[in-house]
Amino acid sequence: MRLRIINPNTTAAMTAKIGEAARRAAAPGTSIQATQPASGPVSIESHFDEAISAVGVLEEVLAGEKEETDAYVIACFGDPGLLAARELTRAPVIGIAEAAFHMASLVSTRFSVVTTLGRTGIIAEHLLEQYGFRHHCRRVRAAEIPVLDLEENSASALGRIIDECRRARDEDGIGSIVLGCGGMADLTEAISREVGLPVIEGVTAAVKLAEALVGLGLGTSKHGDLAFPRPKPFIGRFEAFTNLTPER
Ligand code: 5HY
């Protein structure tokens, strides 16, 4: 099965790390292609960054449709463009936040999220509400680190994340922790060892969910709101989206 992992930011080092983590988790026979948009923010830390990155995600899905991709993963914890991406394909499209919430709720009654910057916490809160996990999640916490510190100051970033996970373990009455950034894809073992709780991150959770859906022959429904977009003219910089028709 061909799995396309889309890192919605444009930092190649983070895309490579996400690809490696996905390959470590993937079953034999699952080929992983880790990509990122040609245009967009180097990191996603605000509603604005998220809105711009969503167009890049959609362009990557359209590119994947030309390559017989069997499933897609959107590897940013805001799941940018998720529903719009599902409209463009019959293949499953999994957001790492949604995947991590599902996995955490299967191994614990309550979990907390530890993300990067406090200001992006609201994005996770909105997704918890939208996906129906509000009552499973005790708190959305932040290690107060810029996303790219995970690349540039990884040791101190890891230290701050572990400290926040310890506080969550000791204060929130939870059974597991969800890591709130695609750039944390390689940190679960180190953190779980230090904190002593199941630690879930979305990239590997999404890889396993994508394999399960494809294995069951399940794809995105084209009946109802996730049907292909109606073809129409687009003008200006989005002219390429004019009269989009399904590749397959
Ligand atoms: C992410 N930003 O997963 C989000 C995390 C965040 O560039 N990749 C990013 O802080 O919202």
Side-chain angles (χ1 to χ4, degrees):
M1 101 174 229
R2 294 168 58 88
L3 183 51
R4 193 182 188 101
I5 313 260
I6 303 166
N7 171 20
N9 74 40
T10 53
T11 297
M14 192 170 283
T15 304
K17 177 169 65 180
I18 287 168
E20 281 153 34
R23 285 184 196 94
R24 277 197 299 276
T30 298
S31 74
I32 302 281
Q33 196 187 6
T35 72
Q36 62 188 58
S39 311
V42 292
S43 63
I44 299 161
E45 298 172 324
S46 67
H47 301 293
F48 178 78
D49 298 344
E50 182 133 325
I52 302 295
S53 74
V55 176
V57 167
L58 302 177
E59 288 169 337
E60 280 302 308
V61 171
L62 290 171
E65 287 299 282
K66 294 186 177 12
E67 299 167 15
E68 305 285 316
T69 302
D70 297 301
Y72 299 86
V73 169
I74 298 176
C76 167
F77 205 74
D79 295 353
L82 180 62
L83 294 179
R86 285 179 175 156
E87 288 183 344
L88 297 178
T89 178
R90 291 181 189 283
V93 183
I94 316 271
I96 63 170
E98 188 172 21
F101 297 158
H102 277 290
M103 291 290 193
S105 67
L106 294 173
V107 298
S108 63
T109 315
R110 294 280 184 274
F111 62 85
S112 282
V113 173
V114 175
T115 189
T116 54
L117 291 173
R119 68 172 293 165
T120 63
I122 187 68
I123 296 173
E125 303 268 4
H126 286 170
L127 292 180
L128 287 161
E129 203 68 48
Q130 182 186 335
Y131 299 149
F133 285 100
R134 183 61 270 163
H135 62 289
H136 280 282
C137 182
R138 274 283 160 79
R139 264 187 84 176
V140 175
R141 292 170 168 267
E144 286 307 342
I145 54 168
V147 168
L148 292 186
D149 266 19
L150 292 163
E151 301 304 317
E152 292 148 14
N153 307 308
S154 50
S156 72
L158 178 57
R160 292 179 69 100
I161 296 166
I162 287 173
D163 291 348
E164 198 59 39
C165 289
R166 285 202 180 104
R167 281 189 282 275
R169 176 198 62 198
D170 299 340
E171 298 165 12
D172 298 355
I174 55 171
S176 72
I177 290 171
V178 165
L179 299 182
C181 182
M184 296 177 185
D186 61 338
L187 300 180
T188 45
E189 277 137 47
I191 297 173
S192 190
R193 217 178 13 255
E194 287 293 323
V195 179
L197 287 181
V199 173
I200 297 107
E201 72 74 33
V203 171
T204 48
V207 167
K208 301 322 282 183
L209 284 175
E211 288 175 339
L213 287 169
V214 172
L216 291 168
L218 290 171
T220 298
S221 171
K222 291 295 121 185
H223 184 78
D225 71 303
L226 297 178
F228 290 107
R230 294 176 64 244
K232 64 187 65 178
F234 282 69
I235 64 168
R237 75 173 72 214
F238 295 122
E239 206 165 333
F241 296 140
T242 293
N243 297 337
L244 275 181
T245 50
E247 286 289 331
R248 54 196 168 138

